Amino acid sequence: MRERVLADYERILGDDHPDTLSARHNLANSYSDAGRVDDALNLRERVLADYERILGDDHPDTLTARHNLAHARDAAAPVQQPDTATSAGGAEIQNPSGAPE
């Protein structure tokens, strides 16, 4: 449904209309909710670029889009497994700063 809404907004209002940008943003959210991670990230990148170009770097919608893209990238990053191989045969423990204890 959101894909159709976006297509209609693009056709009727144009690519740069604020409602079209919002529809694009909403579609990215739907892609994310549906597990379409790559599609969501690609669309979020476009949304951010459009907001920056049309509204400027400091507009609240631009800031929200930037935050959402960063959050989506973090969520899409592969989960890193702890390294179980050590040279001494025991697990190396790291404190929160990342330095070995």
Side-chain angles (χ1 to χ4, degrees), residues 38-67:
D38 290 337
D39 292 331
L41 284 173
N42 290 334
L43 200 51
R44 286 185 193 283
E45 288 170 356
R46 179 176 176 191
V47 166
L48 177 58
D50 289 344
Y51 277 139
E52 288 172 339
R53 178 176 51 83
I54 296 165
L55 302 175
D57 290 336
D58 297 326
H59 189 278
D61 290 345
T62 305
L63 299 175
T64 298
R66 188 174 295 122
H67 169 79

Side-chain angles (χ1 to χ4, degrees), residues 13-84:
L13 302 174
D15 286 340
D16 294 344
H17 191 280
D19 291 344
T20 304
L21 299 178
S22 292
R24 197 171 290 129
H25 187 173
N26 291 339
L27 180 56
N29 289 338
S30 292
Y31 283 163
S32 182
D33 291 344
R36 294 174 59 179
V37 176
D38 290 337
D39 292 331
L41 284 173
N42 290 334
L43 200 51
R44 286 185 193 283
E45 288 170 356
R46 179 176 176 191
V47 166
L48 177 58
D50 289 344
Y51 277 139
E52 288 172 339
R53 178 176 51 83
I54 296 165
L55 302 175
D57 290 336
D58 297 326
H59 189 278
D61 290 345
T62 305
L63 299 175
T64 298
R66 188 174 295 122
H67 169 79
N68 289 344
L69 176 58
H71 180 72
R73 284 179 176 158
D74 288 345
V79 176
Q80 294 189 2
Q81 299 296 320
D83 184 10
T84 56

